[in-house]
């Protein structure tokens, strides 16, 4: 259900330590439940890989952005798109209003505390399900995980073709040398 990989890099981009870029093959206005759930699994791939390779106690904060995006997506899955079986096809908390209390603006919940707890539990369940699925996929493809990790350490960036080749058990072709460096600048003599 995921869009195809375009490239993956361990070169830091902004506040991200590395990024996997996916590109849709066609124009899209909406997404299916299957696509949303596949996106959640993909977003937890990095965190799941850390846990599987290094152990639970050595997991880092590197997946913070992925977790933030995934949590927002899961919450919208439940509260706005009506895709949760536990909540049903209803809109939850659309009428949030901003309240000005002194110097702070706060949101007032338009749902009961019981409903809010049910939403939170459902968001947690969906996220845990995606995280568990990410770990299962990685366990089933541990050799590929290590091959991609080593190739990223060697090259820093891989294309879709590179990853597909690794998944078929192929070795990547040698890197083409980059353009030679510019010759050093020679000092210009001062005018006399």
């Amino acid at each position: 259900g995921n869009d195809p990989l375009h490239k993956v890099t361990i070169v830091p981009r902004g506040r991200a330590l590395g990024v996997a870029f996916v590109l849709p093959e066609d124009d899209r206005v909406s997404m299916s439940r299957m696509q949303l759930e596949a996106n959640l699994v993909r977003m937890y791939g990095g965190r799941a890989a850390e846990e599987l390779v290094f152990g639970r106690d050595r997991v880092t904060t590197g997946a913070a952005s992925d977790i933030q995006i995934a949590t927002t997506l899961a919450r919208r899955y439940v509260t706005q798109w009506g895709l949760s079986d536990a909540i049903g096809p209803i809109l939850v908390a659309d009428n949030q209003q901003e309240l000005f209390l002194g110097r702070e603006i706060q949101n007032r919940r338009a749902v009961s505390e019981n409903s809010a707890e049910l939403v939170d539990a459902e968001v947690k369940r969906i996220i845990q399900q995606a995280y568990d699925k990410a770990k299962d996929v990685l366990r089933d493809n541990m050799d590929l995980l290590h091959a991609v990790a080593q190739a990223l350490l060697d090259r820093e960036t891989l294309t879709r073709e590179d990853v597909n080749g690794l998944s078929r058990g192929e070795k990547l072709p040698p890197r083409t040398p980059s353009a030679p460096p510019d010759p050093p600048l020679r000092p210009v003599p001062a005018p006399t």
Side-chain angles (χ1 to χ4, degrees):
N2 268 309
D3 292 320
L5 177 71
H6 175 62
K7 72 177 173 178
V8 60
T9 183
I10 57 172
V11 175
R13 306 266 192 234
R15 293 180 6 199
L17 299 174
V19 181
F21 297 98
V22 295
L23 291 176
E25 293 181 317
D26 52 5
D27 290 337
R28 177 179 305 139
V29 175
S30 59
M31 294 178 74
S32 70
R33 179 189 303 238
M34 181 181 74
Q35 290 169 319
L36 291 166
E37 291 171 359
N39 280 334
L40 288 170
V41 172
R42 178 180 46 82
M43 288 177 202
Y44 279 102
R47 167 54 69 87
E50 272 191 333
E51 184 176 333
L52 290 174
V53 173
F54 302 116
R56 184 178 177 274
D57 293 337
R58 303 220 23 218
V59 168
T60 70
T61 59
S65 178
D66 293 328
I67 292 170
Q68 178 184 5
I69 294 167
T71 302
T72 299
L73 182 65
R75 188 162 295 282
R76 293 178 75 189
Y77 180 103
V78 172
T79 62
Q80 293 179 2
W81 299 323
L83 296 173
S84 162
D85 293 332
I87 305 297
I90 62 169
L91 183 66
V92 179
D94 181 48
N95 295 328
Q96 290 187 351
Q97 299 172 358
E98 290 184 353
L99 297 176
F100 182 72
L101 300 175
R103 294 184 173 172
E104 299 177 10
I105 295 180
Q106 298 181 351
N107 288 331
R108 179 174 56 182
R109 276 199 146 132
V111 296
S112 70
E113 195 61 38
N114 188 35
S115 294
E117 288 176 11
L118 183 58
V119 166
D120 289 344
E122 186 64 358
V123 169
K124 181 174 174 37
R125 183 194 66 77
I126 290 165
I127 286 172
Q128 188 63 53
Q129 183 177 340
Y131 187 66
D132 291 343
K133 174 75 174 181
K135 289 196 301 190
D136 290 343
V137 168
L138 290 169
R139 275 190 205 102
D140 292 345
N141 295 280
M142 193 58 74
D143 291 340
L144 179 58
L145 171 64
H146 289 295
V148 169
Q150 186 58 54
L152 283 168
L153 289 172
D154 294 342
R155 298 170 181 249
E156 294 185 333
T157 300
L158 300 175
T159 65
R160 176 190 328 183
E161 293 77 23
D162 294 334
V163 174
N164 287 342
L166 290 171
S167 72
R168 293 187 298 268
E170 300 170 2
K171 289 194 176 254
L172 294 180
R175 289 192 311 175
T176 56
S178 58
D182 292 332
L185 296 175
R186 286 182 267 160
V188 176
T192 55

